[in-house]
Amino acid sequence: MYHIKVIIKRRDVILDPQGKAIEQGAKLLGFDNITHVRVDKLIEFNINSESPEKANEEANLLCNKLLANPIMEDFELSVTKI
Amino acid sequence: MYHIKVIIKRRDVILDPQGKAIEQGAKLLGFDNITHVRVDKLIEFNINSESPEKANEEANLLCNKLLANPIMEDFELSVTKI
């Protein structure tokens, strides 16, 4: 069994509306020194595979098929034995 | 200027509907070996403060006031000089 951690980030050139909303909200609360807010996703799951290579490969496939949007997002994943 | 990275996680006892949806979606795609999916938030921003301690303190305050829901989420943050 392996634990997978995937960070899915919108590409830098693509506007992040949620980040912009947080920046504005922060300003309204008096935090004037906060900039460049980006909101990304961290997805964790367990995968039952024979080897770390197989786990990595399957997790990669799942990211490409379901978790990440290949048009505007990039992802990086890490595998740990549990 | 400091770069702040905040990971906001739903407490383990609280159901994560987005994670459940991914688990079901994965099953439909033929990934039967994926369990315990959790979807968390990773928020990054820059903060203009005099010291790392001050940056940490302000980022903590912002998390408590705006970014995290203290009823069902926990957060951890890291500060890096940029």
Side-chain angles (χ1 to χ4, degrees):
Chain A
M1 190 83 107
Y2 296 89
H3 184 75
I4 312 282
K5 214 179 222 185
V6 191
I7 291 174
I8 301 176
K9 290 190 180 193
R10 226 168 248 257
R11 301 218 173 91
D12 279 345
V13 292
I14 293 176
L15 186 75
D16 178 358
Q18 229 186 325
K20 282 283 162 221
I22 289 176
E23 216 166 300
Q24 285 180 5
K27 276 205 176 55
L28 289 176
L29 288 172
F31 295 89
D32 292 328
N33 49 355
I34 282 163
T35 53
H36 296 88
V37 186
R38 302 292 288 188
V39 181
D40 302 308
K41 268 183 286 186
L42 168 67
I43 302 181
E44 293 180 87
F45 54 88
N46 295 343
I47 190 163
N48 198 356
S49 295
E50 303 129 35
S51 67
E53 292 75 26
K54 189 100 181 97
N56 192 347
E57 192 190 302
E58 287 188 303
N60 240 301
L61 204 64
L62 182 69
C63 285
N64 278 313
K65 277 195 172 171
L66 182 70
L67 303 181
N69 171 352
I71 317 261
M72 52 189 220
E73 291 173 330
D74 288 317
F75 65 88
E76 48 193 85
L77 60 84
S78 63
V79 181
T80 335
K81 192 164 173 44
I82 51 171
Chain B
M1 190 84 106
Y2 296 90
H3 184 74
I4 312 283
K5 213 180 223 186
V6 191
I7 292 174
I8 300 176
K9 290 192 178 189
R10 227 170 249 256
R11 302 219 172 91
D12 279 344
V13 291
I14 293 175
L15 185 77
D16 179 359
Q18 229 187 325
K20 283 282 161 221
I22 289 175
E23 218 167 300
Q24 286 181 4
K27 277 205 175 55
L28 289 176
L29 288 171
F31 296 89
D32 291 327
N33 49 356
I34 281 163
T35 52
H36 295 87
V37 187
R38 302 291 290 188
V39 182
D40 301 308
K41 269 181 285 184
L42 168 67
I43 302 179
E44 292 181 85
F45 55 88
N46 295 343
I47 190 163
N48 198 355
S49 295
E50 303 127 36
S51 68
E53 292 76 26
K54 189 100 181 98
N56 194 344
E57 192 189 305
E58 287 187 304
N60 241 301
L61 204 64
L62 182 69
C63 286
N64 278 311
K65 279 194 171 170
L66 183 69
L67 303 182
N69 171 351
I71 316 264
M72 51 190 222
E73 292 172 329
D74 288 315
F75 64 88
E76 49 194 84
L77 59 83
S78 63
V79 181
T80 334
K81 193 164 172 47
I82 51 172

